[in-house]
Amino acid sequence: MKTVEEFRTSRPKEWDALMQELESLGGAAFYLKDLVKNHDGVVWFHPFFPSMKQSDIHEINRVEIEGRKKMLLSYEFYRDRVPGFENSYIALSSPQLGTQGGQRVVGEYVCTTKDMISDEVFEDTIAIFPDNDNEEISAKHPNVCIPYRALVPRKVDGLLVACRAFSSEFQFNEYFNLIPHCIAFGQAAGTAAAMAAQSGIRPRDVNYAALQKNLIRQGVKLPVP
Ligand SMILES: Cc1cc2nc3c(=O)[nH]c(=O)nc-3n(C[C@H](O)[C@H](O)[C@H](O)COP(=O)(O)OP(=O)(O)OC[C@H]3O[C@@H](n4cnc5c(N)ncnc54)[C@H](O)[C@@H]3O)c2cc1C
């Protein structure tokens, strides 16, 4: 990595030209380093590939194959052209393609961009998110509330959404589909499912106040008594 850094800082124009060439070939130029202790000399590539059909298995296979071809292309380019990578090798590739975003359920409530800045506390709030993927909005509106109805499909009974497929417009989903958000959806959906099963009722008929009480008992922070 010392050789790489020396090359990058002492010959920035050459570095930029190489990276542009790699990108024009369809490769991944950007990498992260120092992510894990004692992994000096390990770099991580996290490339993104556009796709609009995240639930179509043929499309997923196409992207998977494209990703692996581009991984080899990028690796060979770095190894053959970038000083410092001469003796590099691929230590690990992801076992499975990851997707960001995707299809979403249309629920009894659809979270919209308006909800990101309204500071509204819903009567069925099941999660409050002080942080999202947009720093500017987070700073001004650190208490975005999610209603239980966003987990309840409008047309299907006996089903709750415990993940990033919660009922939301694209932009809202983009900012609130990260791991901590999904943990909160999962906790609320699991608790509501247990309550519905115990009482023999449909998930959509779960009493909001009782659900909130249960969540608060579990340590969930909610803006309700
Ligand atoms: C490359 C990448 C990097 C990311 N980095 C971060 C990050 O640093 N921090 C962060 O907070 N978030 C990050 N995210 C976002 C976050 O990981 C996801 O939004 C989140 O994991 C979504 O959770 P989920 O439960 O909705 O879906 P997933 O975690 O995708 O879970 C869905 C599960 O369902 C399984 N499944 C699918 N179909 C079936 C089926 N028919 N039967 C049974 N099981 C099935 C899948 O195998 C999978 O295990 C990243 C996402 C990607 C793609």
Side-chain angles (χ1 to χ4, degrees):
M1 289 315 294
K2 204 165 162 241
T3 310
V4 181
E5 284 310 311
E6 267 168 22
F7 171 64
R8 196 170 65 85
T9 47
S10 64
R11 290 145 69 186
K13 279 192 183 149
E14 234 175 291
W15 172 271
D16 286 348
L18 269 178
M19 293 303 119
Q20 273 169 22
E21 185 183 340
L22 175 55
E23 277 180 353
S24 72
L25 293 169
F30 177 74
Y31 62 75
L32 297 158
K33 61 186 176 75
D34 302 328
L35 285 184
V36 183
K37 272 189 190 161
N38 303 322
H39 275 214
D40 303 337
V42 178
V43 295
W44 279 264
F45 290 83
H46 288 171
F48 285 84
F49 303 107
S51 171
M52 295 300 283
K53 294 193 233 160
Q54 166 252 23
S55 55
D56 175 347
I57 191 65
H58 298 291
E59 173 67 357
I60 296 283
N61 279 344
R62 184 193 67 74
V63 177
E64 179 97 46
I65 291 164
E66 183 188 335
R68 289 183 187 279
K69 279 185 181 157
K70 287 185 173 172
M71 172 182 73
L72 291 176
L73 183 153
S74 308
Y75 161 63
E76 283 166 8
F77 187 95
Y78 264 92
R79 184 196 59 196
D80 297 343
R81 307 279 300 279
V82 182
F85 277 92
E86 297 84 356
N87 299 317
S88 62
Y89 58 91
I90 296 174
L92 181 74
S93 68
S94 63
Q96 192 184 2
L97 182 81
T99 61
Q100 198 171 23
Q103 288 183 316
R104 302 181 294 281
V105 161
V106 178
E108 289 190 356
Y109 185 92
V110 181
C111 298
T112 66
T113 35
K114 202 166 52 67
D115 296 319
M116 290 195 278
I117 51 170
S118 71
D119 297 322
E120 182 172 354
V121 177
F122 302 98
E123 60 161 340
D124 58 335
T125 296
I126 46 85
I128 178 163
F129 293 145
D131 198 8
N132 64 64
D133 220 8
N134 181 312
E135 280 177 20
E136 204 181 314
I137 294 176
S138 285
K140 285 189 197 151
H141 303 280
N143 295 311
V144 176
C145 291
I146 306 292
Y148 175 57
R149 285 162 295 154
L151 312 185
V152 181
R154 204 175 281 171
K155 290 190 179 163
V156 186
D157 270 322
L159 179 70
L160 285 171
V161 182
C163 58
R164 65 189 148 162
F166 71 102
S167 177
S168 47
E169 282 183 354
F170 172 77
Q171 198 64 65
F172 191 100
N173 196 273
E174 273 289 284
Y175 294 149
F176 295 95
N177 69 11
L178 300 179
I179 295 165
H181 307 130
C182 291
I183 291 171
F185 298 140
Q187 186 160 5
T191 305
M195 289 171 68
Q198 268 169 4
S199 311
I201 56 172
R202 298 180 306 174
R204 77 176 73 254
D205 297 326
V206 164
N207 180 275
Y208 299 156
L211 172 59
Q212 288 163 337
K213 234 186 204 168
N214 265 334
L215 289 172
I216 289 167
R217 206 175 296 140
Q218 292 168 29
V220 175
K221 301 264 181 279
L222 291 179
V224 287

